[in-house]
Amino acid sequence: MLALSSPANLSVGQADLETGDSPRKRPFGLAIALCLLGFPAAVVAVSLVSLYLGHEISTLVAFEAGLIVAGSLALLAGRQLGFWGLLRAASASLLVLSLAIALAAAMVDSSHDGRWYHKEAVLLLADGWNPVWEPAPVPSVGDSFLRRQLLEGYPKASWLYGATVLTLTGNLEATKSLALPLLCAAGLTTWAALGSLGVAGWRRLGTSLVATANPIVFSQLPTSMVDGLLASALLSMVAATILLIQNPSRISWGILVSSMVLACHLKATGPVFSVLLFGGCCLVAALQLGLRTSRPRQVAIGGLLALCFSIGVLGIHPFVTNWRHHGQIFYPIDQDTDDALELTLPRRLEALVGSAFSSTSVGQGRRRSLELATSRQRLKVPFTIGAEEWHYLSRAQHRVGGWGPLFGGVVLLAALAVMAQLGWTTRKRLALYASFTSLILLTVLVIPPCWIARFVPQSWWLVAGPIPLATRRLGVWRSLPIVVLVLASLLNSGLIGVRSLGEAVTTSTTFRSQLTKLASRGGERSVDYGIFQSDRFHLMRSRIEAKPVEDPQFSLDVVTGYRRPSMQRPKLLDARTQRILLRWSDIKGVSSYRLRVWSLDTFIDGSSPAQIEIEVHRPRARLVKLPLPLRIELSACNLLGCGPPTVTSWSSAVPDLAHSGR
């Protein structure tokens, strides 16, 4: 990570500084970064103030935020860039924001959390819900956890930005367009910070690319999830802190404040990470430059004021309201507790290391205990990828090995790169590298389920730290581990990006094809949305008449494992068959059974009957396999394939089984 190695050059000489960017060249890239960070931060600030005043989210929020960013850009960078420079920076930023909206609108979000509560919150906010003064509307399925904890208690930066985009575009998928602007801003800010430290050439490029290309960001690019957004915002904040310590400027202050506002309001852990990372950077800089040096102290005071403004003023909702109603600002994190919260530091470190060297896999549900995590960990040989792991790379919610399929090998390469540079660097730089490595590990281990990569996205920065460590020119052989480290890190992130984007394109193509088929058939459709209430938007936009089904007897999502009351997770057989394990008590006396099939592998177009193979497990009896010819009627379309199809009758084989005693 940039912060691990960058302040190591805090006391380098003028000769080193001459290899970096000159002050004239730096502001243009930073001006673009300020716009890309400042616009969503201004949208969040204006939206929160509007909600505090009792107003709704509207298109005026985007207009007011644009004026704030334009004025800030002219004030902070007008002298250095001039009129045409400002115009170029604003145009480039507008192009990135527009491109992000267009790409997001073209891809359907198939992530569980994105469809569960992120999109639902965006729809409610755009529809006039004021979370400051009103409770969240009760979902039709009565999901109290969704209503009470997630919608009301979580930070809402991405939701407020998404609701603003929705009022402008009318496209729900376009609301997840924040990832690309934050990614570009993080890259530009990191590049500038490394230049101010005297890091030049391929080391500067490699460090910037590796630190920015976080696999958590790439895995969540086509989704509404916020872990990758938090990673980019934190990286911009750390880079802006280094810029202010090295070469203070007004534009760097603007980037720091904008990134802090976003980091604190993207996720409940954002304030913790922001305080620890910013405070740690200032402390290490003060120790390096001397406690009597005023610059780190000035940066620390200004940054702490910005954090207080973000958390205590803009954060009246949800942080202050959470404190008032629930006794702590991190609600509802405490409502999802288990033995993970009681893990000792060595146990957390054990789980973290085990996850780093395990195959990437996806766990279901919200349980995060160490025993569950270690049971899913499957250690593997570094730089190998299995078929199952390759399949899981397309998912956005990895539980084990979430840093990518090559991360274990990349960690070993990072250690080798450090050893290769031991004789080519100074003790002071090594001490600073160790200090910042310890700082990042602290921010990781403070989170109980630290083995889940997306909960601690800043952990990826550890592999970027060794790249600019050396102070002298290395030979070919000593440079080789660093070059391989850069290439392997980028390949690791690239594999996740290719898989997640490829899956998003495939899902989107199938989804839109199904919507077209359903719309052409006409008529009213009975729909079981389950917990994914946001799916209603797509049916309404396609003018498909949908009648919600209240509380079906059974409902199963084969992708997420959501089930009730006692379903077992199904195993896919082929494109036309579904295997389901049922307990006898679940189906005895049932006259109708509604099955939700949400998988591209089980697409049913409604043109012909389909076979569903059901296994019935009777108490104290062997497993009986019953191929039942069930009449399937396609009731509605779903994001991940089809459905929910409705089983309108059971085969007579089921009641016969009850009396045959087989």
Side-chain angles (χ1 to χ4, degrees):
M1 192 325 262
L2 167 63
L4 300 181
S5 55
S6 18
N9 279 336
L10 287 171
S11 60
V12 295
Q14 184 64 29
D16 288 333
L17 290 177
E18 289 175 356
T19 62
D21 278 349
S22 65
R24 287 184 181 178
K25 293 182 179 179
R26 196 175 304 132
F28 181 72
L30 291 180
I32 298 177
L34 176 62
C35 293
L36 296 179
L37 289 166
F39 180 70
V43 167
V44 172
V46 172
S47 299
L48 287 172
V49 172
S50 299
L51 293 176
Y52 297 151
L53 296 177
H55 301 157
E56 299 178 356
I57 304 298
S58 65
T59 54
L60 288 177
V61 172
F63 178 74
E64 295 169 355
L67 291 180
I68 292 175
V69 173
S72 301
L73 182 63
L75 178 64
L76 300 178
R79 289 185 179 180
Q80 296 165 297
L81 295 179
F83 175 77
W84 294 111
L86 292 175
L87 185 61
R88 287 167 52 203
S91 301
S93 304
L94 185 60
L95 178 62
V96 173
L97 292 170
S98 302
L99 179 63
I101 291 176
L103 292 177
M107 293 182 290
V108 175
D109 180 5
S110 59
S111 66
H112 177 275
D113 286 4
R115 298 164 55 212
W116 182 18
Y117 64 93
H118 288 295
K119 285 183 177 180
E120 180 68 17
V122 169
L123 286 172
L124 292 175
L125 287 168
D127 198 36
W129 173 49
N130 190 324
V132 177
W133 304 106
E134 304 170 5
V138 179
S140 59
V141 294
D143 193 342
S144 60
F145 182 87
L146 169 67
R147 179 189 64 82
R148 180 174 58 86
Q149 294 184 327
L150 297 177
L151 293 181
E152 295 180 354
Y154 267 33
K156 298 176 173 58
S158 64
W159 302 349
L160 295 172
Y161 183 82
T164 304
V165 173
L166 182 58
T167 60
L168 290 172
T169 64
N171 190 311
L172 181 60
E173 298 301 331
T175 60
K176 60 182 187 295
S177 59
L178 191 53
L180 183 60
L182 295 192
L183 181 67
C184 294
L188 291 171
T189 312
T190 304
W191 175 266
L194 288 170
S196 72
L197 291 166
V199 182
W202 66 271
R203 290 175 180 275
R204 181 185 182 188
L205 178 62
T207 308
S208 301
L209 290 176
V210 172
T212 306
N214 196 314
I216 311 302
V217 178
F218 282 14
S219 67
Q220 297 183 1
L221 272 177
T223 74
S224 303
M225 298 176 65
V226 298
D227 308 281
L229 305 181
L230 179 62
S232 297
L234 289 175
L235 181 58
S236 298
M237 183 195 70
V238 172
T241 303
I242 295 171
L243 280 169
L244 287 170
I245 294 173
Q246 286 291 96
N247 186 21
S249 64
R250 290 181 294 180
I251 194 170
S252 297
W253 278 112
I255 293 175
L256 179 67
V257 173
S258 299
S259 59
M260 282 182 171
V261 169
L262 291 174
C264 290
H265 287 271
L266 279 169
K267 197 173 174 67
T269 52
V272 178
F273 293 152
S274 299
V275 171
L276 290 178
L277 288 172
F278 175 76
C281 288
C282 293
L283 178 60
V284 173
L287 294 175
Q288 169 67 15
L289 297 177
L291 295 177
R292 296 183 179 180
T293 307
S294 62
R295 185 177 299 173
R297 185 166 60 250
Q298 293 171 353
V299 174
I301 293 174
L304 289 176
L305 290 175
L307 285 173
C308 292
F309 172 76
S310 300
I311 300 173
V313 179
L314 290 180
I316 292 177
H317 181 82
F319 301 119
V320 176
T321 54
N322 282 345
W323 178 274
R324 177 183 175 185
H325 298 301
H326 306 289
Q328 54 102 15
I329 68 173
F330 301 114
Y331 177 86
I333 290 181
D334 67 327
Q335 303 301 306
D336 189 27
T337 59
D338 56 14
D339 54 334
L341 295 176
E342 302 175 2
L343 293 180
T344 61
L345 187 61
R347 301 284 312 276
R348 295 184 190 183
L349 187 59
E350 171 194 349
L352 175 65
V353 174
S355 180
F357 289 91
S358 296
S359 298
T360 303
S361 63
V362 179
Q364 305 301 336
R366 300 184 61 81
R367 295 174 56 203
R368 298 167 185 165
S369 66
L370 178 63
E371 288 70 21
L372 187 64
T374 53
S375 68
R376 291 192 183 125
Q377 291 177 3
R378 283 175 286 182
L379 298 179
K380 66 170 188 174
V381 178
F383 297 111
T384 60
I385 306 176
E388 185 179 13
E389 183 177 19
W390 178 255
H391 169 72
Y392 283 139
L393 291 183
S394 62
R395 306 295 179 84
Q397 295 178 262
H398 304 124
R399 291 285 178 177
V400 175
W403 295 273
L406 309 180
F407 185 71
V410 169
V411 171
L412 298 178
L413 286 174
L416 184 61
V418 173
M419 291 187 290
Q421 301 178 83
L422 287 179
W424 268 255
T425 187
T426 63
R427 292 183 179 179
K428 184 176 293 186
R429 183 173 291 194
L430 283 175
L432 285 167
Y433 170 76
S435 299
F436 277 90
T437 301
S438 302
L439 173 62
I440 291 183
L441 284 176
L442 171 64
T443 65
V444 171
L445 295 174
V446 76
I447 303 299
C450 58
W451 58 85
I452 302 177
R454 66 186 183 90
F455 292 166
V456 285
Q458 72 277 15
S459 56
W460 170 255
W461 302 343
L462 291 168
V463 302
I467 300 173
L469 190 58
T471 56
R472 290 179 284 170
R473 187 181 298 275
L474 300 177
V476 175
W477 292 108
R478 287 187 176 271
S479 299
L480 186 60
I482 308 173
V483 175
V484 175
L485 171 62
V486 173
L487 296 178
S489 301
L490 296 179
L491 178 61
N492 177 78
S493 299
L495 288 174
I496 288 187
V498 168
R499 288 291 292 133
S500 60
L501 292 175
E503 185 74 13
V505 171
T506 303
T507 302
S508 304
T509 302
T510 305
F511 172 53
R512 291 189 170 88
S513 173
Q514 293 173 223
L515 280 181
T516 302
K517 290 180 180 179
L518 284 175
S520 64
R521 291 176 184 147
E524 186 180 61
R525 303 281 174 173
S526 296
V527 181
D528 174 21
Y529 293 116
I531 62 173
F532 302 116
Q533 294 291 296
S534 62
D535 290 354
R536 67 187 183 276
F537 179 86
H538 298 285
L539 299 180
M540 290 188 297
R541 197 177 185 209
S542 299
R543 298 180 180 179
I544 298 174
E545 297 183 16
K547 177 184 178 182
V549 176
E550 299 291 338
D551 195 24
Q553 289 177 287
F554 295 96
S555 191
L556 174 66
D557 184 339
V558 302
V559 173
T560 65
Y562 172 74
R563 58 190 184 272
R564 64 182 183 210
S566 56
M567 281 280 195
Q568 298 297 317
R569 183 164 177 77
K571 177 182 178 182
L572 295 181
L573 296 181
D574 53 52
R576 304 295 295 182
T577 307
Q578 179 75 26
R579 184 191 298 274
I580 300 174
L581 180 63
L582 297 177
R583 290 185 175 88
W584 175 251
S585 59
D586 295 337
I587 65 172
K588 186 177 181 180
V590 173
S591 59
S592 64
Y593 173 77
R594 184 171 292 102
L595 174 67
R596 296 162 58 200
V597 183
W598 288 0
S599 172
L600 290 173
D601 297 329
T602 55
F603 176 75
I604 304 173
D605 59 9
S607 58
S608 60
Q611 293 289 328
I612 295 184
E613 185 172 318
I614 295 184
E615 295 180 355
V616 181
H617 183 260
R618 298 177 60 198
R620 296 181 300 277
R622 66 183 180 87
L623 192 66
V624 181
K625 187 179 297 185
L626 295 175
L628 303 180
L630 306 175
R631 295 200 298 271
I632 305 297
E633 175 188 354
L634 183 60
S635 299
C637 183
N638 188 275
L639 297 179
L640 295 181
C642 77
T646 300
V647 178
T648 56
S649 66
W650 286 98
S651 166
S652 59
V654 173
D656 290 345
L657 177 65
H659 302 288
S660 63
R662 291 187 298 167

